[in-house]
Amino acid sequence: MQETQIRPEAWKETISRVRNQIGEIIVGQQEVVEQMLWCIFAGGHALLEGIPGLGKTMLVRTIADTLDLSFSRVQFTPDLMPSDITGTQILSFGRQGETAMTFQSGPLFSSIVLADEINRATPKTQSALLEAMQEKTVTVGNETHRLPNPFFVLATQNPLENEGTYPLPEAQLDRFLLKILVPYPKAEELKEIVKRTTSNHQPSIVKQAGSEELLEIQHGAREVLVADEVLDYAARLLMMSHPEEESAPEGVKKYVRFGSGPRGIQSIISTGKVRAVCQGRMHLAQSDINAVAIPALRHRIFLNFEGQAMGITTDQVVSEMLQALGGRS
């Protein structure tokens, strides 16, 4: 493989153009957009959580159009079968009457796949995403088919409804690089949303990058240097998420049942590297770790019964861990 040419300023400019173009379409949600860009340029998958109507689908479609990537949307429902998303073998007939089994690809064969309300599908269908998200392949029958490169699964779930839903198991939650919370817009943002969506003038999306530039930035971000003391800081942060550790804060020991696994620190480092690139740097800083820690760990820390009963959130737990390390007041 050809060695990646280090171009931090060019990468910073590209990401800035993409961010600005998304801002022309999406009102507010700067933090959500930023975390989505971290995830995509790190080559990972994102889980978006928020009530309906906050523009999650529009955001994902806008990102796909801005990066000129193929896009497909799957509405997850309880009757959705694995073959509905992966594809299936179909019987085809030739001109002379001969028959053959051919593969009909499903909506997973797009660069960006929006899995809308993923927790409404049965575990059987949810698990069909596991191979695609991890291996970036789909196996149907005896044949394995490679998915496009780049490939991202951006899934959404509604936190308010529990009836008719199937909570994602820990193993599948861990496949998502980041869990991003989509907040309700502020009053001024609501007014701007109304202006943009109830008039004849609709802003158009202009492509700001392509798959080649995206892959170049992905490879380049992996070259970001990580000093031993910064890596040690991230490792100590992750170990603090385990209640049996002596260094764990009081809130972790009291409210956490299980801490994060190794994918937690992998997520922190990979997204932290992209954040460094976004600022034109080729070295990871402690500030990058602090910035990405909450979205990287909030779905990898599991509260015990007392924590759930007290209304404690994993965001509060991670914030306490950062405070104990001196990373956040």
Side-chain angles (χ1 to χ4, degrees):
M1 184 176 178
Q2 187 176 1
E3 186 177 349
T4 303
Q5 184 180 359
I6 306 300
R7 303 191 304 143
E9 287 302 322
W11 298 336
K12 176 184 176 182
E13 175 63 26
T14 298
I15 296 173
S16 179
R17 292 200 315 269
V18 171
R19 184 190 299 113
N20 292 339
Q21 177 62 72
I22 295 171
E24 294 291 325
I25 308 297
I26 304 298
V27 178
Q29 307 290 11
Q30 286 91 351
E31 188 173 349
V32 174
V33 171
E34 195 68 19
Q35 292 177 9
M36 288 281 285
L37 293 179
W38 293 346
C39 197
I40 287 177
F41 285 104
H45 311 288
L47 178 63
L48 285 77
E49 187 175 282
I51 63 175
L54 296 183
K56 297 185 293 295
T57 301
M58 176 64 73
L59 171 59
V60 176
R61 184 181 293 274
T62 300
I63 290 174
D65 291 342
T66 304
L67 295 172
D68 197 28
L69 300 175
S70 58
F71 170 81
S72 63
R73 175 179 179 268
V74 182
Q75 182 67 49
F76 277 60
T77 57
D79 59 347
L80 192 73
M81 298 299 293
S83 59
D84 294 331
I85 61 173
T86 61
T88 187
Q89 299 279 2
I90 61 173
L91 183 65
S92 59
F93 295 88
R95 293 184 178 180
Q96 304 300 321
E98 69 275 11
T99 61
M101 297 297 293
T102 58
F103 177 67
Q104 180 69 47
S105 62
L108 271 186
F109 286 81
S110 295
S111 288
I112 291 186
V113 178
L114 173 60
D116 215 351
E117 293 189 293
I118 188 174
N119 55 332
R120 286 200 173 278
T122 61
K124 182 177 182 180
T125 303
Q126 291 175 2
S127 63
L129 284 174
L130 286 174
E131 180 191 6
M133 293 172 64
Q134 185 66 24
E135 307 297 336
K136 298 189 178 180
T137 59
V138 165
T139 300
V140 177
N142 295 324
E143 296 184 4
T144 298
H145 306 271
R146 185 159 295 279
L147 292 166
N149 188 28
F151 172 75
F152 309 100
V153 172
L154 305 177
T156 70
Q157 63 180 12
N158 179 359
L160 299 182
E161 295 185 34
N162 292 319
E163 186 175 352
T165 62
Y166 302 85
L168 292 172
E170 289 83 352
Q172 188 156 343
L173 279 173
D174 207 25
R175 307 286 182 181
F176 291 99
L177 190 69
L178 301 180
K179 180 180 180 181
I180 303 171
L181 302 185
V182 184
Y184 199 80
K186 300 174 183 177
E188 289 301 317
E189 294 171 346
L190 282 173
K191 290 163 60 178
E192 182 62 27
I193 289 172
V194 171
K195 291 177 182 178
R196 292 191 188 185
T197 57
T198 60
S199 65
N200 288 324
H201 175 69
Q202 299 293 330
S204 58
I205 300 175
V206 180
K207 168 192 168 184
Q208 299 296 334
S211 58
E212 291 185 2
E213 293 169 282
L214 172 58
L215 292 172
E216 180 186 337
I217 295 174
Q218 282 184 5
H219 290 299
R222 297 190 183 104
E223 299 293 331
V224 171
L225 300 176
V226 183
D228 287 341
E229 56 268 26
V230 176
L231 185 58
D232 179 68
Y233 179 84
R236 286 189 290 128
L237 176 66
L238 192 82
M239 294 305 295
M240 276 187 173
S241 69
H242 297 273
E244 66 274 10
E245 286 291 320
E246 289 186 9
S247 61
E250 188 61 31
V252 172
K253 294 178 179 178
K254 188 175 181 180
Y255 299 122
V256 172
R257 181 165 55 103
F258 298 116
S260 172
R263 281 200 183 102
I265 191 171
Q266 291 174 329
S267 176
I268 288 173
I269 296 300
S270 59
T271 51
K273 285 182 173 183
V274 173
R275 184 179 185 272
V277 170
C278 289
Q279 298 182 0
R281 290 183 282 110
M282 288 303 292
H283 67 275
L284 188 68
Q286 183 176 311
S287 59
D288 298 318
I289 304 296
N290 297 334
V292 306
I294 290 180
L297 296 179
R298 60 162 53 111
H299 58 302
R300 294 184 165 97
I301 295 175
F302 302 95
L303 302 175
N304 56 25
F305 177 78
E306 185 178 359
Q308 296 175 33
M310 293 290 292
I312 302 298
T313 67
T314 52
D315 286 21
Q316 292 172 317
V317 171
V318 179
S319 293
E320 186 178 352
M321 290 158 49
L322 289 168
Q323 186 176 0
L325 278 176
R328 179 169 299 191
S329 58

